[in-house]
Amino acid sequence: MNLLEILTVGVVATAASDIWQQAQKPLTGIPAANWPVTGRWVIGWRDGRIYDPMIGKRPSLKGEAPVGWAFHYLIGAVYAALYLSFVVVIAKTVPTLLNGLLFGLVTLLAPFLFMKPALGGGFFGLRAPNPEKGLFLSISAHAVFGMGLYLGELFYQGLF
């Protein structure tokens, strides 16, 4: 495992999730994640606003879109590093579609227990408007991210 492998796996998995979010939108009417608002949240950390339930009502900030997208892909790379470390180093096995999918679903803990509550949506996003849509999008996007971890590894190995 090396930095190029981690970045490749993380970018492929995150891009797969982003493509899924755009592909499902015409069928379900559920909009993709709003990464500029995430960027606004991240920028707000410097002012001590980690818990910011009013984030959606705050004015846009200069640079929030690139910050949000960069944060999104950085988290994807961190998850890829954790996934590869667990699978290869700790479990001493290889990435598979199943362990990628399972890991992707485990990554739901972060948005469900930290990010959604921090942005005012409550645990699992149940206080957000249309929580069932948010749950569908989160679960499906993280499942696709998990499958993307495996596809990213295949791509890195030159098998895809």
Side-chain angles (χ1 to χ4, degrees):
M1 178 175 64
N2 60 55
L3 184 58
L4 181 59
E5 181 178 13
I6 290 167
L7 291 176
T8 301
V9 171
V11 167
V12 168
T14 306
S17 174
D18 290 335
I19 291 166
W20 162 250
Q21 289 183 57
Q22 294 302 321
Q24 64 76 40
K25 190 166 57 171
L27 301 172
T28 66
I30 301 170
N34 188 332
W35 299 117
V37 169
T38 300
R40 188 179 317 154
W41 178 54
V42 170
I43 292 168
W45 294 353
R46 68 179 175 208
D47 298 325
R49 284 194 314 264
I50 293 175
Y51 177 73
D52 193 356
M54 301 305 291
I55 192 76
K57 296 191 186 321
R58 293 192 186 283
S60 297
L61 298 173
K62 184 178 183 197
E64 69 181 28
V67 168
W69 280 98
F71 181 74
H72 172 53
Y73 275 80
L74 173 65
I75 295 300
V78 168
Y79 283 157
L82 292 171
Y83 169 69
L84 292 169
S85 294
F86 178 77
V87 169
V88 175
V89 177
I90 296 170
K92 301 208 183 302
T93 187
V94 296
T96 66
L97 186 59
L98 180 59
N99 62 32
L101 175 62
L102 292 173
F103 187 87
L105 293 173
V106 167
T107 65
L108 280 164
L109 293 172
F112 282 171
L113 301 178
F114 176 68
M115 190 172 180
K116 288 179 183 281
L119 299 178
F123 288 109
F124 300 92
L126 294 177
R127 282 199 273 153
N130 302 312
E132 63 284 343
K133 288 183 176 184
L135 285 168
F136 170 79
L137 183 62
S138 293
I139 293 167
S140 64
H142 281 252
V144 171
F145 173 82
M147 291 185 278
L149 290 169
Y150 174 63
L151 294 176
E153 181 61 24
L154 291 180
F155 183 77
Y156 176 76
Q157 297 292 337
L159 302 173
F160 181 63

